[in-house]
């Protein structure tokens, strides 16, 4: 089983590195704009523009960074490439039980989940620091909530792939869907007033979920472990 984990890490390393680079570049844009407002040409704009940007940083940048950082979990499955689909066929042909096969998926997700959380907390702290804002419990709750959404999408996709034959085109559609749903979450956060939901309501909801985040994450990983194994058994019949 160890060799399979090492193989998965080697296979997914490139996707993980690209995800980290993308997240850092995205945060770099926020940082450059903030520095320009404080010390550069953007500082010449009306004070309302500066306040609007920093208010956005406080409410939107952290969830956005969390979702972008959470995409590193996609590296654990990365089902959009034909080569990886062929690799799965090879992996399933080895004498390993469906439960162990599923356990490898969960271990990979857990590894990248921890990396994604660390990336989200670190990059969010940088953006807030250059904006002159403090990192609060509300920010931590938003990070966990958004990461959990991304994890849920990956769990659903993993279970689906394990229990059905997924072509390259279908896998690509699922990846797009996984991207759109978290982006819709960001839209709800930024346009909350349009739905008669205030920013305080959304923040309050995240704070209520925050204490249960470990249980939610463990529940999603347990569901992935059991349902993926069940899907493989059903497919092998």
């Amino acid at each position: 089983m160890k060799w399979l984990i090492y193989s998965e890490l080697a296979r997914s390393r490139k996707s993980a590195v690209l995800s980290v680079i993308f997240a850092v570049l995205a945060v770099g844009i926020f940082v450059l704009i903030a520095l320009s407002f404080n010390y550069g040409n953007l500082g010449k704009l009306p004070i309302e523009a500066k306040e609007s940007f920093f208010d956005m940083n406080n409410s939107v940048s952290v969830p956005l960074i969390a979702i972008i950082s959470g995409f590193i979990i996609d590296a654990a499955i990365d089902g959009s490439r034909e080569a990886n689909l062929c690799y799965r066929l090879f992996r399933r042909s080895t004498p390993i039980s469906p439960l162990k096969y599923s356990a490898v998926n969960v271990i990979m997700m857990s590894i990248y989940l921890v990396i994604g959380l660390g990336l989200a907390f670190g990059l969010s702290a940088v953006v807030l620091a250059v904006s002159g804002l403090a990192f609060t419990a509300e920010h931590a709750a938003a990070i966990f909530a958004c990461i959990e959404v991304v994890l849920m999408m990956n769990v659903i996709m993993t279970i689906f792939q394990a229990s059905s034959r997924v072509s390259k085109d279908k896998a690509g559609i699922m990846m797009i869907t996984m991207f759109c749903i978290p982006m819709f979450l960001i839209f709800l956060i930024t346009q909350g007033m349009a739905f008669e939901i205030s920013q305080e309501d959304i923040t309050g909801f995240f704070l209520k979920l925050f204490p249960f985040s470990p249980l939610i994450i463990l529940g999603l990983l347990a569901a992935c472990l059991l349902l993926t194994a069940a899907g493989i058994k059903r497919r092998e019949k």
Side-chain angles (χ1 to χ4, degrees):
M1 188 170 171
K2 288 183 179 180
W3 69 267
L4 197 52
I5 296 175
Y6 294 145
S7 297
E8 285 290 296
L9 286 172
R11 180 191 64 81
S12 60
R13 181 174 55 193
K14 183 178 179 180
S15 295
V17 170
L18 289 175
S19 296
V20 172
I21 292 174
F22 178 71
V24 172
L25 289 177
V27 168
I29 295 174
F30 279 102
V31 172
L32 289 175
I33 294 175
L35 291 176
S36 183
F37 268 116
N38 288 328
Y39 309 107
N41 293 332
L42 292 180
K44 299 176 183 178
L45 295 176
I47 189 65
E48 291 81 7
K50 181 178 180 179
E51 291 176 350
S52 177
F53 173 76
F54 288 128
D55 285 343
M56 182 195 70
N57 263 2
N58 191 37
S59 61
V60 178
S61 63
V62 171
L64 181 60
I65 291 170
I67 288 178
I68 293 174
S69 300
F71 284 156
I72 195 174
I73 303 173
D74 295 345
I77 53 177
D78 197 13
S80 62
R81 299 177 184 175
E82 188 174 352
N84 289 339
L85 294 175
C86 293
Y87 176 75
R88 283 185 176 79
L89 294 176
F90 162 75
R91 186 169 61 180
R92 290 175 182 174
S93 67
T94 59
I96 183 172
S97 68
L99 188 60
K100 287 184 178 180
Y101 168 84
S102 179
V104 171
N105 282 333
V106 171
I107 291 172
M108 293 301 301
M109 279 189 183
S110 300
I111 292 172
Y112 286 121
L113 172 65
V114 172
I115 296 174
L117 281 170
L119 193 64
F121 273 93
L123 295 179
S124 296
V126 169
V127 169
L128 292 172
V130 297
S131 301
L133 301 169
F135 191 94
T136 65
E138 287 82 359
H139 295 127
I143 288 174
F144 269 96
C146 294
I147 290 283
E148 286 159 11
V149 171
V150 178
L151 176 62
M152 181 178 66
M153 294 299 102
N154 278 272
V155 167
I156 292 172
M157 185 172 178
T158 301
I159 294 170
F160 182 79
Q161 285 185 320
S163 58
S164 63
R165 291 178 174 82
V166 182
S167 66
K168 183 179 179 181
D169 292 337
K170 289 182 178 178
I173 292 173
M174 286 191 294
M175 292 298 289
I176 293 173
T177 302
M178 287 173 58
F179 178 81
C180 289
I181 292 178
M183 289 301 102
F184 181 68
L185 177 64
I186 287 291
F187 174 78
L188 290 179
I189 293 172
T190 57
Q191 303 296 324
M193 293 302 294
F195 298 91
E196 297 182 354
I197 302 174
S198 67
Q199 187 67 44
E200 290 74 16
D201 292 335
I202 296 173
T203 302
F205 176 71
F206 285 163
L207 284 173
K208 288 179 181 179
L209 286 180
F210 191 28
F212 303 101
S213 291
L215 292 177
I216 294 172
I217 291 173
L218 289 175
L220 289 171
L221 293 175
C224 184
L225 175 67
L226 299 176
L227 295 179
T228 299
I232 296 171
K233 290 179 181 179
R234 183 168 60 251
R235 183 176 177 179
E236 290 178 346
K237 289 181 179 179

